[in-house]
């Protein structure tokens, strides 16, 4: 009896090909041109993007990437490949016909190219796992758009399943809780990437998913209400975003008597610019300059075994 060959697409946001201004500019143009990310009218936003945003931000962001770049390249891409290899190794060891590919919404390798690779290898079904535990129209939905583009010209359109979210998945929550070793006098700050507040009022599930993830982790850790807090980072532009803001929260902590803090970013499946530079470095400096005494960043789950176990379980449910 023939067994189905399963294709798995692990998908994340993406990264520039190199930490140079031209490469970052190409990446930011693709990223910030996505209507899912910035939903202003195209004629208006493209003028602002190309003549105001990109010339100013590209050199600055390139410098930030240079500060975190490794010999394996961008941390996000290097870690994502480790995750792909670990998930592939799991299924290979079980002698299951599962092919795992990696795709990015922006930059390389693209989601569309990953779809091509899977279908060219004769898979009978594709399982798409966006590495965003909490659904957002700005992230998860953009992967769905890219996946649909990858299928657009395929004659052999195979069945597929798209994993919408896993913000409350027990194995994911357990992996997060296992990564936290909290001192008695530390406050645990859950910092999630922000989105415009307007997106929430227009129906995006993201904020609710983030707060529920934090609540479940805090519950698993047995934390009291005053021992943890949720905030949102990486805001962009003048529009109001989800609050409280991470940077302002950390700057105000010491004067409110919070002198020791541990920060975890559960929305990031892999460490990247927003965690390594923004949280582990920039916000540490803000907190310490405000007379905070102890600041600790808890790394993303990355390719930790319990994280891979959670991802594998999500896939196996669909197989």
């Amino acid at each position: 009896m023939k067994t189905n060959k399963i294709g798995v697409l692990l998908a994340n946001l993406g990264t520039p090909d190199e930490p140079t201004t031209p490469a970052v500019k190409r990446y930011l143009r693709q990223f910030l041109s996505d209507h899912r990310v910035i939903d202003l009218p195209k004629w208006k936003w493209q003028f602002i993007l190309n003549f105001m945003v990109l010339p100013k931000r590209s050199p600055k962001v390139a410098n930030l990437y240079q500060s975190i770049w490794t010999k394996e390249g961008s941390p996000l891409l290097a870690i994502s490949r480790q995750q792909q290899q670990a998930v592939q190794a799991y299924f290979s060891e079980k002698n299951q016909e599962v092919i795992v590919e990696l795709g990015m919404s922006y930059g390389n390798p693209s989601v569309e190219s990953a779809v091509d690779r899977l279908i060219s290898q004769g898979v009978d079904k594709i399982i798409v796992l966006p590495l965003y535990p909490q659904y957002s129209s700005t992230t998860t939905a953009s992967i769905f758009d890219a996946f649909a583009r990858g299928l657009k010209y395929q004659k052999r359109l195979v069945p597929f399943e798209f994993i919408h979210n896993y913000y409350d998945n027990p194995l994911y929550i357990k992996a997060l809780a296992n990564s936290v070793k909290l001192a008695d006098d530390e406050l645990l700050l859950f910092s999630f990437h922000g989105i415009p507040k307007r997106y929430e009022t227009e129906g995006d599930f993201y904020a609710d998913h983030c707060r529920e993830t934090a609540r479940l982790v805090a519950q698993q850790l047995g934390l009291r209400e005053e021992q943890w807090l949720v905030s949102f980072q990486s805001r962009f532009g003048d529009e109001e975003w989800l609050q409280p803001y991470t940077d302002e929260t950390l700057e105000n902590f010491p004067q409110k008597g919070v002198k020791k803090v541990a920060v975890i970013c559960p929305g990031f499946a892999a460490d990247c610019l927003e965690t390594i530079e923004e949280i582990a470095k920039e916000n540490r400096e803000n907190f310490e300059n405000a007379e905070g005494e102890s600041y600790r960043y808890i790394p993303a789950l990355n390719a930790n075994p319990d994280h891979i176990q959670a991802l594998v379980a999500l896939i196996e449910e669909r197989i």
Side-chain angles (χ1 to χ4, degrees), residues 188-221:
L188 182 59
L189 181 66
F190 294 87
S191 181
F192 294 89
H193 199 293
I195 61 171
K197 174 68 175 175
R198 173 172 53 84
Y199 291 14
E200 180 187 22
T201 61
E202 291 173 352
D204 198 303
F205 307 117
Y206 182 68
D208 287 342
H209 285 188
C210 292
R211 295 184 179 108
E212 182 62 6
T213 293
R215 187 191 70 80
L216 290 170
V217 174
Q219 181 183 69
Q220 181 126 350
L221 291 169

Side-chain angles (χ1 to χ4, degrees), residues 4-8 88 91-92 96-100 315 319:
N4 284 343
K5 182 186 288 187
I6 304 296
V8 173
Q88 182 67 76
F91 288 109
S92 296
Q96 287 185 261
E97 274 204 291
V98 176
I99 300 170
V100 184
I315 296 163
I319 294 176

Side-chain angles (χ1 to χ4, degrees), residues 249-296:
T249 298
L250 286 165
E251 289 166 7
N252 293 332
F253 266 166
Q255 67 185 20
K256 294 181 177 180
V258 179
K259 298 286 190 176
K260 298 181 180 181
V261 63
V263 185
I264 188 170
C265 299
F268 294 91
D271 276 312
C272 56
L273 188 69
E274 287 81 1
T275 62
I276 299 170
E277 200 288 326
E278 183 182 353
I279 294 297
K281 182 181 177 184
E282 181 183 334
N283 277 283
R284 174 193 294 274
E285 293 172 357
N286 293 341
F287 180 72
E288 291 176 347
N289 289 339
E291 300 185 352
E293 296 174 0
S294 173
Y295 182 99
R296 190 165 56 88

Side-chain angles (χ1 to χ4, degrees), residues 176-183 186 221 262 296 298:
L176 287 172
N178 287 343
S179 72
V180 178
K181 301 291 185 288
L182 208 60
E186 277 185 319
L221 291 169
R296 190 165 56 88
I298 299 168

Side-chain angles (χ1 to χ4, degrees), residues 132-136 139-140 164-167 172 176 192 206 209-211 213 266-268:
Y132 301 118
Q134 299 78 24
Y135 168 90
S136 173
T139 52
T140 316
H164 184 275
N165 65 75
Y166 55 99
Y167 69 95
Y172 161 68
L176 287 172
F192 294 89
Y206 182 68
H209 285 188
C210 292
R211 295 184 179 108
T213 293
F268 294 91

Side-chain angles (χ1 to χ4, degrees), residues 18-85:
E18 55 186 17
T20 63
T21 297
V24 169
K25 191 173 185 178
R26 287 195 303 272
Y27 169 74
L28 289 179
R29 178 179 286 114
Q30 184 187 12
F31 173 39
L32 297 176
S33 293
D34 188 343
H35 190 72
R36 294 283 193 184
V37 178
I38 306 290
D39 65 353
L40 294 174
K42 186 175 181 180
W43 64 267
K44 179 180 180 181
W45 173 240
Q46 284 299 313
F47 177 83
I48 297 171
L49 176 64
N50 288 292
F51 293 97
M52 299 171 66
V53 175
L54 292 178
K56 184 176 180 180
R57 285 186 64 86
S58 299
K60 291 181 179 179
V61 175
N63 286 335
L64 295 177
Y65 270 108
Q66 288 167 17
S67 72
I68 68 165
W69 212 257
T70 71
K71 61 182 180 180
E72 289 83 22
S74 162
L76 173 64
L77 182 56
I79 294 167
S80 296
R81 290 205 183 282
Q82 292 169 10
Q83 293 169 333
Q84 173 198 3
Q85 291 162 5

